[in-house]
Amino acid sequence: KDMPLAVTDASFLPALREHGARSLLHLPLAAWPEHFGPAARVPAEAAAGLEDRLVFVGRSAFPERDAFFAGCAPPPALEEQARAMLRAGQRPGFHWWAQELGITALWPGNEVRKAGCGADRAGLAWRSACLEAAAGLPLTVFGDQGWQGLLPPGADLRGPVDYYGPLAAVYGRAGAVLNVTGLLLPAGLSQRHFDVWAAGGFLLSDACPGLDLFPDVLVREIVFRYPGELPSLARRALAEPAWRQDLARAWSAHILGSHTYAHRIAALLDWLNLG
C-alpha cells in the first residue's frame, strides 16, 4: 500500500485507491524510436507483399493462459450478455466482469481471476469478430496456430514475427495495421498504438477508452466502434494513399514528440522527485 505504483491503465486507479494504495501514477505505454523509428527501419523478408493488405499481429492467447485461468470459467449467461454488449458497441471489460460477478476484493487471493477470465474470453470473441468482419479484405495475420479455426476463410495466416526483429518492417510496409484492444485492461492501450506510427505505418483501432490520451482530431480518423465499420475504414486506407500518408505523418510526429520511452522515463523521474 505504501509502494509507488505506476499503471498503464488509468481505469484501475480508483480501485487501487479504495484498496489503500497511496502513491499512484498513470504511466501509459510508449514508442521505442531507436528500434521502430526511421533510422532503424530495414527491409525484411517477412514484410514482402504487404503494401495492399490489412495486417494483424498478435497472439490468440497469452502463454499458459488455460493453466492461469483453470477453474475460472464464467457463467454462460454472462458470456452471452457480454457478446450481446459487443454487438451493441459496448465493451464488457474487466471492471464489468468484476461487478457482475460480485468481486470487490482484488487481493489477496485468486478470486479476481474469475473476472480476468471473463474479460479475456470476451476479448477473444471481440478479436475474432473484428477479423471475421475483415474477411472480404486482403488480410494477413501474423500469429500462433491457435488462430486456426478462428479466422475467416481465405485469411493469410503466417507465423509469429519477432518484436525485436522484422516487426518494425512489417508495420512500416503494411497497407494498414489492425489493432483490436483486449478487455483485460479496459482503458489500456497496446504497443501497436505507439509502435505502428513510430515505424511509419498506418493503424486502424477499435474505439477503446484509452485513446483519449491522444488528440481527438487524429483519433477520430482511425477508429471503429463496431466490427461492421472496419471494412469501409480499411478500404479507404488502402485506396487513398495520400490521405493515409498525411495522417500517418501527423500521428508519427505526435507519437515521437510526446510518447517515447524518454518521455515516459522523464515522467517517472518527476513523479519520484528525481528529475
Side-chain angles (χ1 to χ4, degrees):
K1 295 180 180 180
D2 295 325
M3 180 184 295
L5 298 174
V7 298
T8 60
D9 183 341
S11 72
F12 283 90
L13 293 176
L16 286 168
R17 291 191 185 99
E18 289 173 7
H19 280 68
R22 298 181 179 90
S23 181
L24 298 169
L25 172 70
H26 177 215
L27 191 66
L29 298 173
W32 180 17
E34 291 79 8
H35 180 65
F36 285 93
R41 286 179 220 143
V42 295
E45 183 179 347
L50 299 179
E51 292 84 354
D52 298 315
R53 303 187 70 82
L54 178 66
V55 171
F56 177 78
V57 181
R59 293 189 179 113
S60 61
F62 63 82
E64 306 299 328
R65 176 208 176 278
D66 292 341
F68 184 81
F69 287 135
C72 295
L78 272 187
E79 281 206 284
E80 181 50 43
Q81 185 178 348
R83 290 174 184 269
M85 290 174 66
L86 290 172
R87 291 192 293 270
Q90 300 171 313
R91 300 180 65 86
F94 174 87
H95 302 305
W96 180 85
W97 282 95
Q99 178 179 326
E100 294 298 315
L101 291 169
I103 297 172
T104 57
L106 302 185
W107 77 76
N110 293 330
E111 187 73 6
V112 68
R113 292 192 186 187
K114 294 180 180 179
C117 182
D120 182 73
R121 289 168 69 135
L124 178 58
W126 175 235
R127 293 197 302 276
S128 298
C130 292
L131 290 168
E132 181 67 32
L137 300 165
L139 174 65
T140 292
V141 175
F142 289 89
D144 56 83
Q145 290 302 307
W147 285 114
Q148 293 283 6
L150 297 175
L151 296 177
D156 173 28
L157 177 60
R158 307 186 188 182
V161 60
D162 185 4
Y163 184 87
Y164 300 98
L167 183 60
V170 169
Y171 283 165
R173 187 77 63 83
V177 177
L178 173 63
N179 175 78
V180 186
T181 316
L183 300 176
L184 274 168
L185 299 178
L189 299 175
S190 77
Q191 276 297 150
R192 299 181 201 93
H193 287 114
F194 303 89
D195 294 341
V196 172
W197 303 115
F202 187 88
L203 185 74
L204 301 177
S205 176
D206 58 337
C208 60
L211 286 169
D212 61 6
L213 180 70
F214 305 125
D216 180 66
V217 67
L218 296 178
V219 171
R220 65 190 182 205
E221 296 290 326
I222 61 138
V223 297
F224 59 93
R225 187 171 298 276
Y226 307 93
E229 296 175 337
L230 172 58
S232 60
L233 192 62
R235 289 190 182 98
R236 183 183 184 189
L238 297 175
E240 299 184 28
W243 171 77
R244 183 178 71 229
Q245 290 165 11
D246 287 347
L247 192 54
R249 279 193 290 267
W251 265 105
S252 179
H254 178 71
I255 293 295
L256 297 178
S258 303
H259 295 286
T260 67
Y261 272 86
H263 296 101
R264 200 171 192 241
I265 292 171
L268 184 62
L269 293 177
D270 285 345
W271 176 53
L272 297 173
N273 295 317
L274 297 174

